[in-house]
Every structure is written in C-alpha cells, then in structure tokens.
Amino acid sequence: MNMLPIRRAILSVTDKSGLDDFARFLQEQGVELVSTGGTRKKLVQAGLKVRSVSDVTGFPEILGGRVKTLHPHVHAGILADKDDSTHMQTLKDLRLSPFDLICVNLYNFAEAVRQTLEDKQAVEQIDIGGPTMLRASAKNFHSVAVIPDPSYYAECMQEMKSNGGSLSLDFRKRMAVATFALTSEYDRMITEYLSRS
C-alpha cells in the first residue's frame, strides 16, 4: 500500500509538547483518536473528543498502569496487514478495527537514571507497552504509520496536507527506521543501567 489514509490513531505519549496541535489537526482531518490515561486527560482538557483505550479493549488499566495497551483489540489493529484479505477478514470476524497511525513516545528512563533512584523505583520507569506498540507499528509500516517523537509532528501534518489525509510509504518507512533506532537506544540505556547497578 503506497498511500495510507489516516482514519484512526492511538496517541500515548510521555512528552506532550506539541500534542494538542497535532491531535487537533488529526481530528480536523476526520481521524478517530484513541488514547491512554494522562495523554487522554490532556486532550480532553484541550476540548478534543478522544476514546479511552479501556473503551476499545473493554478492559480497565490494571497493575498501576503496567497493563493498558497490551491487548488484542490494540495489537491486532496495529499488526494487521491491510493488503492481506485474510487479516482484514479476521478483524471483521472478531469485530476489531485497524489503526492507521500510532503516536507513542516512551517513559523517560534517562531521567530515572539521573535521579539515581533505587532499582525498584527505576524499573517502574521502564516502558513496556510503549516499545511494544512502537515496534509492532514499525514492523508493519506497509499498513501503519508510526510517529515516535514530537519532532516528527510537523512533517507528518505536512505529508497529510499534501496527500489528502494520507501518508506515503516512503514517509512510513523512514518513521519505522527512526523508531527502531529509538527503541534500540532505549534498550541499550536500560541494559547499561542494570549492568552497573
């Protein structure tokens, strides 16, 4: 799929800079917004209509927020190959909806390291659901766009403006490369921290 129309997005971010404007742009383009905890709260306060992930999954956030996006209603929608009719039929049969854009950035583990927290506290800043969504989206860049950092919002919006609300395969592949670089660096940082602590 060369041009991917953006109709449904997940936004779940730690760094909320530029988020309101980006989400407002998406909503004005007719994109359905789905979000988690603090991100959703900020967007609702900004006057945007946002579904909670819990509404999508039919399951509450549990374990102090450790488990919220790790669910088939999220990951089937991210990992479905839109060019594979059997994937799309499976979604239809199970009443699942595909996602087109995943906007996620990660818990700030570097800050936890700088604060010299005890291991038990520091590991709470290791993001699990975020990297899982990022890697799933990056793997499936033929069918999903991933936006791993606020620095890409402007380019994403320009792409959508230029392409009638769609994102090109070239852009999606570049974002996949940026995403895998980011998650690799994140894992390296955690590995170094745990090795020396």
Side-chain angles (χ1 to χ4, degrees):
M1 176 180 298
N2 183 32
M3 300 305 296
L4 174 68
I6 305 302
R7 301 186 185 102
R8 191 168 186 245
I10 292 180
L11 298 95
S12 181
V13 298
T14 298
D15 180 352
K16 296 177 176 59
S17 56
L19 178 66
D20 291 1
D21 290 341
F22 183 53
R24 186 168 287 107
F25 168 82
L26 292 174
Q27 194 161 83
E28 288 169 355
Q29 297 291 311
V31 178
E32 177 191 359
L33 305 180
V34 176
S35 191
T36 56
T39 304
R40 182 177 181 273
K41 182 178 179 182
K42 178 171 173 52
L43 294 176
V44 168
Q45 287 172 344
L48 298 170
K49 182 180 177 185
V50 189
R51 288 187 71 194
S52 72
V53 165
S54 295
D55 286 343
V56 171
T57 63
F59 206 85
E61 292 184 14
I62 60 171
L63 307 180
R66 281 187 171 195
V67 179
K68 48 194 169 196
T69 59
L70 299 169
H71 194 281
H73 277 275
V74 173
H75 285 278
I78 293 172
L79 284 165
D81 179 349
K82 293 184 174 97
D83 290 326
D84 185 328
S85 61
T86 62
H87 283 205
M88 300 312 289
Q89 187 61 48
T90 297
L91 292 189
K92 185 176 179 182
D93 291 346
L94 296 175
R95 297 182 180 178
L96 303 172
S97 299
F99 287 100
D100 307 302
L101 185 143
I102 308 300
C103 176
V104 171
N105 58 63
L106 305 176
Y107 296 167
N108 192 343
F109 187 74
E111 182 61 27
V113 172
R114 277 193 292 275
Q115 292 175 13
T116 61
L117 300 174
E118 295 292 324
D119 281 356
K120 187 79 171 164
Q121 295 170 304
V123 297
E124 289 305 319
Q125 296 305 311
I126 297 174
D127 202 324
I128 300 301
T132 304
M133 286 194 291
L134 286 172
R135 290 173 56 82
S137 306
K139 169 184 175 167
N140 199 27
F141 69 88
H142 283 94
S143 293
V144 177
V146 58
I147 308 296
D149 189 85
S151 62
Y152 300 114
Y153 292 170
E155 187 179 0
C156 179
M157 290 188 287
Q158 187 54 53
E159 269 266 329
M160 288 180 68
K161 286 176 187 174
S162 299
N163 297 311
S166 295
L167 292 172
S168 68
L169 181 59
D170 176 69
F171 175 78
R172 299 192 317 267
K173 187 173 184 179
R174 284 189 289 111
M175 291 299 97
V177 170
T179 297
F180 279 121
L182 183 149
T183 57
S184 295
E185 175 60 21
Y186 194 74
D187 286 343
R188 183 199 60 76
M189 180 172 50
I190 294 166
T191 301
E192 288 184 358
Y193 170 79
L194 292 176
S195 296
R196 69 173 185 255
S197 63

